[in-house]
Amino acid sequence: MASNQLVILAIAAILLPTIAMATDYVVGDDSGWTINFDYQAWAKDKVFHVGDKLVFKYPVGKHNVHKVNGTVFKDCIVPPENEALTSGKDEIELATPGNKWYICGVANHCLSGQKLSISVVDGAPAPAPGEHNSAPSSGFHVFMAVIVAVVAIAVGYPN
Ligand SMILES: *[C@@H]1O[C@H](CO)[C@@H](O)[C@H](O)[C@H]1NC(C)=O
Ligand SMILES: [Cu+2]
């Protein structure tokens, strides 16, 4: 096997888990996007990474989704209705790190707690000590790269 193929394989081994790792989060899980749900509790034990997706699920017309800033979030200042996402299955990719805020603009749902605030982090997952994280660590990437390199060398050397 040519050495450039080996390099490509090794790079793929490092990058692939990163790509496959992107997580789709259905906001509220089975409850979906609704009133009478504690979205801060839902978000509390989750680590959102750039590339992950939020999926807001709700019956069309019953709720909507506005991405807002921290001030609007806190005071529930509902933006114009035509700025809302309304599909009933609104997918929002977390494209940048930082704090993100989402509210429902229907009636007084935001004031009733239909609001979600999350913090998005960049880069590889860094599990807190003692905490389980389902995403592979960067150590895992190195491990994968070594495995692939060893296999590639074993396969490639007869040439
Ligand atoms: C938040 O958004 C509102 C409405 O778009 C805007 O008036 C306000 O200036 C923004 N606040 C900050 C801190 O960006
Ligand atoms: Cu609502």
Side-chain angles (χ1 to χ4, degrees):
M1 184 176 287
S3 70
N4 59 344
Q5 281 174 296
L6 187 116
V7 168
I8 288 167
L9 267 178
I11 290 172
I14 293 167
L15 292 185
L16 265 179
T18 312
I19 295 162
M21 239 162 52
T23 307
D24 288 2
Y25 290 98
V26 175
V27 176
D29 297 318
D30 289 345
S31 298
W33 184 233
T34 184
I35 49 172
N36 302 322
F37 189 92
D38 186 347
Y39 290 99
Q40 286 332 108
W42 175 83
K44 199 166 133 294
D45 59 348
K46 296 178 176 62
V47 181
F48 300 94
H49 292 95
V50 169
D52 289 348
K53 238 185 237 170
L54 295 179
V55 184
F56 292 85
K57 286 189 179 168
Y58 54 90
V60 174
K62 281 214 151 188
H63 305 284
N64 64 24
V65 180
H66 288 275
K67 185 177 187 301
V68 297
N69 65 29
T71 313
V72 170
F73 176 84
K74 187 167 78 55
D75 296 337
C76 285
I77 310 158
V78 176
E81 205 179 329
N82 63 8
E83 292 174 13
L85 301 173
T86 58
S87 77
K89 189 173 181 289
D90 303 323
E91 302 192 3
I92 299 179
E93 183 170 349
L94 304 172
T96 58
N99 295 326
K100 316 283 167 190
W101 299 273
Y102 307 92
I103 65 171
C104 176
V106 171
N108 60 354
H109 292 187
C110 178
L111 287 168
S112 309
Q114 195 179 2
K115 57 200 314 210
L116 168 69
S117 146
I118 62 168
S119 177
V120 178
V121 296
D122 218 344
E131 192 177 291
H132 254 304
N133 192 314
S134 58
S137 67
S138 55
F140 176 81
H141 298 173
V142 172
F143 173 76
M144 283 301 293
V146 169
I147 295 284
V148 169
V150 167
V151 169
I153 288 166
V155 171
Y157 263 18
N159 307 334

